[in-house]
């Protein structure tokens, strides 16, 4: 398995020189500054690639080449957006970058209610609290029908939290949820979020699946021509959010993505944290089942609560059997005879991470701890083969 590290480019508070000290050999990044729907210019890709090479790395995975929201909504007149997307693919391939991670979550990317939840023995982690999410949807956004999406006991806790929370706590909750906006630089206030949500009125799960199928039909043939592979990222969390459907949350969903365009270039990013937040998902089994279509892996762990809440655990300490997942991936590698790039996904903010103020979930020390733990598992399993 090939060790990589997510780097947010020149905007990142973590330098490539620091990443080098983690032991990772590949970089996962994107041109985050390019507005969605515009072409990634060949010279901009080359400049970023040269920067990565000069630091002693290879650019292994694009995460992500974003899908414009108009495509997810299935609007009319999408030809120019698809043409721009294919041109960006060609420009990436011309620079030797051939693995693209993307997601098809409407409006929001990952969603958390707490960016700095305390963990035992010090440090903080990302957390999704079901009652806080319910309070946000029901009492702050006032979304029609939101009450129907939560159990009575969760709604009771949501009401109690909302009645006790002042403006500062509500602002912190809004900021945490908005941190999951793609690109994570623009933010909505409550009124702007209500307006943004109206653009998705009536969008069903079937609609979103059809729109994903059209996207794949537009890009996978080009990927085949260019020698590229695509790997969809699962929903995070694996449930509908703000009334918006999500369609990559379990094994059945993933198989439906593969069936939409049945080609090896249409693959999966195995995110053990996103999928692990759904208690029905058996991650080692999914790694074996979909092994031939796994082109990239995000390895992290979560600890689940019965009400649907969860928080980021240490990489070996949550509810997912990470050793079994890695064992399955190593077996897939041996069969395929090609390495699977993986990165230590999310980490606790530890020690000096708190002062650094890196992107939420992407601290230096916490991820380095995670990478070290994962590296140890890989080494031990390889020794036993």
């Amino acid at each position: 398995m090939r060790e990589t590290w997510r780097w947010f480019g020149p905007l990142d508070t973590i330098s490539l020189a620091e990443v080098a000290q983690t032991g990772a050999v590949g970089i996962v990044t994107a041109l985050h500054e390019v507005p969605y729907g515009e072409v990634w210019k060949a010279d901009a890709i080359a400049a970023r690639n040269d920067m990565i090479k000069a630091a002693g790395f290879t650019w292994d995975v694009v995460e992500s080449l974003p899908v414009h929201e108009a495509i997810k909504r299935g609007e009319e007149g999408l030809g120019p957006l698809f043409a721009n997307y294919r041109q960006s693919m060609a420009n990436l391939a011309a620079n030797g970058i051939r693995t693209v991670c993307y997601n098809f979550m409407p409006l929001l990317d990952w969603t958390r209610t707490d960016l700095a939840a305390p963990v035992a023995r010090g440090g903080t982690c990302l957390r999704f609290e079901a009652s806080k999410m319910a309070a946000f949807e029901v009492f702050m956004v006032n979304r029609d029908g939101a009450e129907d999406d939560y159990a009575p006991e969760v709604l009771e806790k949501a009401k109690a939290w909302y009645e006790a929370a002042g403006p500062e706590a509500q602002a912190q909750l809004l900021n945490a949820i908005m941190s999951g906006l793609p690109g994570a630089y623009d933010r909505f206030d409550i009124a702007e979020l209500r307006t943004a949500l109206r653009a998705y009125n009536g969008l069903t799960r079937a609609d979103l699946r059809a729109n994903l199928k059209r996207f794949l039909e537009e890009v996978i043939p080009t990927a085949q021509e260019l020698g590229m592979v695509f790997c969809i990222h699962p929903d995070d969390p694996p449930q509908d959010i703000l009334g918006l459907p999500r369609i990559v949350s379990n094994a059945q969903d993933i198989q439906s993505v593969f069936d939409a365009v049945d080609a090896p270039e249409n693959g999966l990013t195995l995110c053990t944290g996103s999928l692990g937040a759904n208690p029905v998902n058996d991650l080692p089994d999914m790694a074996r089942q979909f092994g031939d279509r796994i082109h990239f892996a995000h390895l992290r762990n979560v600890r689940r609560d019965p009400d649907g809440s969860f928080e980021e655990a240490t990489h070996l300490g949550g509810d997912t059997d990470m050793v079994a997942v890695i064992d399955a991936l190593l077996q897939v590698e041996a069969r395929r005879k090609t390495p699977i790039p993986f990165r230590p996904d999310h980490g606790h903010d530890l020690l000096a991470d708190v002062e650094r103020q890196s992107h939420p979930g992407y601290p230096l020390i916490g991820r380095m701890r995670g990478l070290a733990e994962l590296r140890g598992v890989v080494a031990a399993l390889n020794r036993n083969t």
Side-chain angles (χ1 to χ4, degrees):
M1 296 177 68
R2 183 170 173 81
E3 298 178 7
T4 67
W5 186 274
R6 189 172 192 185
W7 180 61
F8 290 91
L11 299 171
D12 205 323
T13 61
I14 299 169
S15 70
L16 288 173
E18 291 173 309
V19 175
Q21 296 180 53
T22 71
V25 295
I27 291 295
V28 175
T29 193
L31 301 186
H32 295 285
E33 65 277 12
V34 178
Y36 286 18
E38 294 188 7
V39 173
W40 286 17
K41 300 293 180 60
D43 57 351
I45 295 169
R48 188 65 51 85
N49 202 18
D50 288 344
M51 186 184 304
I52 291 167
K53 289 178 179 178
F57 298 98
T58 52
W59 185 350
D60 286 17
V61 180
V62 174
E63 188 179 347
S64 59
L65 183 56
V67 181
H68 197 280
E69 292 299 307
I71 295 174
K72 297 177 188 177
R73 291 192 293 263
E75 295 181 4
E76 299 295 328
L78 294 175
L81 285 176
F82 285 127
N84 286 355
Y85 202 96
R86 288 190 291 265
Q87 185 60 58
S88 295
M89 292 169 59
N91 293 343
L92 285 164
N95 279 275
I97 305 155
R98 302 183 186 277
T99 301
V100 175
C101 171
Y102 72 102
N103 79 73
F104 218 76
M105 290 177 268
L107 190 61
L108 292 179
D109 196 327
W110 57 269
T111 304
R112 300 292 186 273
T113 60
D114 297 272
L115 301 181
V119 297
R121 304 185 72 181
T124 64
C125 71
L126 301 180
R127 179 171 175 81
F128 179 87
E129 185 74 37
S131 59
K132 282 189 176 182
M133 193 68 210
F136 182 75
E137 294 204 53
V138 175
F139 301 110
M140 292 174 63
V141 178
N142 298 308
R143 179 175 69 80
D144 289 342
E147 297 92 338
D148 299 334
D149 292 342
Y150 294 95
E153 58 271 21
V154 173
L155 289 172
E156 184 177 350
K157 290 181 182 178
K159 184 178 181 182
W161 181 88
Y162 179 74
E163 290 176 345
E168 182 177 352
Q170 292 184 32
Q172 288 176 346
L173 178 58
L174 174 65
N175 176 65
I177 293 170
M178 289 301 99
S179 293
L181 279 170
Y185 302 116
D186 294 327
R187 296 287 187 272
F188 295 146
D189 61 24
I190 294 294
E192 290 167 338
L193 178 59
R194 291 187 187 120
T195 299
L197 286 171
R198 281 197 288 272
Y200 299 84
N201 281 349
L203 183 73
T204 67
R205 188 165 280 103
D207 293 333
L208 193 60
R209 285 200 174 102
N211 298 339
L212 173 57
K213 178 178 173 64
R214 181 183 175 188
F215 168 74
L216 293 170
E217 289 171 343
E218 293 277 356
V219 304
I220 294 301
T222 302
Q224 292 172 320
E225 294 170 6
L226 297 170
M228 302 180 80
V229 293
F230 270 60
C231 35
I232 194 166
H233 188 285
D235 303 325
D236 185 10
Q239 64 187 65
D240 294 356
I241 293 290
L242 292 169
L244 302 173
R246 294 193 165 190
I247 57 171
V248 194
S249 294
N250 54 47
Q252 183 178 356
D253 288 344
I254 293 166
Q255 187 60 56
S256 74
V257 174
F258 295 163
D259 292 343
V261 173
D262 189 9
E265 292 81 5
N266 174 25
L268 172 69
T269 295
L270 183 72
C271 180
T272 56
S274 300
L275 293 167
N278 185 342
V280 308
N281 288 333
D282 182 332
L283 270 298
D285 184 67
M286 294 172 84
R288 289 186 289 269
Q289 178 182 353
F290 301 124
D292 289 336
R293 302 282 276 270
I294 295 172
H295 301 311
F296 184 35
H298 291 177
L299 300 184
R300 63 180 171 90
N301 222 321
V302 296
R303 184 173 293 106
R304 300 184 298 266
D305 296 334
D307 67 355
S309 304
F310 62 89
E311 68 182 27
E312 309 281 1
T314 59
H315 285 71
L316 301 184
D319 289 321
T320 294
D321 185 344
M322 191 63 70
V323 175
V325 172
I326 293 174
D327 191 25
L329 290 175
L330 288 172
Q331 292 177 42
V332 168
E333 272 195 343
R335 183 176 71 246
R336 288 172 22 176
K337 301 190 184 328
T338 55
I340 297 173
F342 79 93
R343 64 174 178 81
D345 195 16
H346 296 185
H348 292 176
D349 277 25
L350 304 174
L351 304 170
D353 285 334
V354 177
E355 287 76 32
R356 186 185 288 268
Q357 296 295 305
S358 58
H359 287 70
Y362 291 94
L364 175 60
I365 297 170
R367 280 189 292 164
M368 184 166 65
R369 172 187 172 178
L371 179 57
E373 292 176 347
L374 298 170
R375 180 183 294 139
V377 172
V378 172
L381 290 171
N382 278 333
R383 185 184 180 107
N384 290 332
T385 58

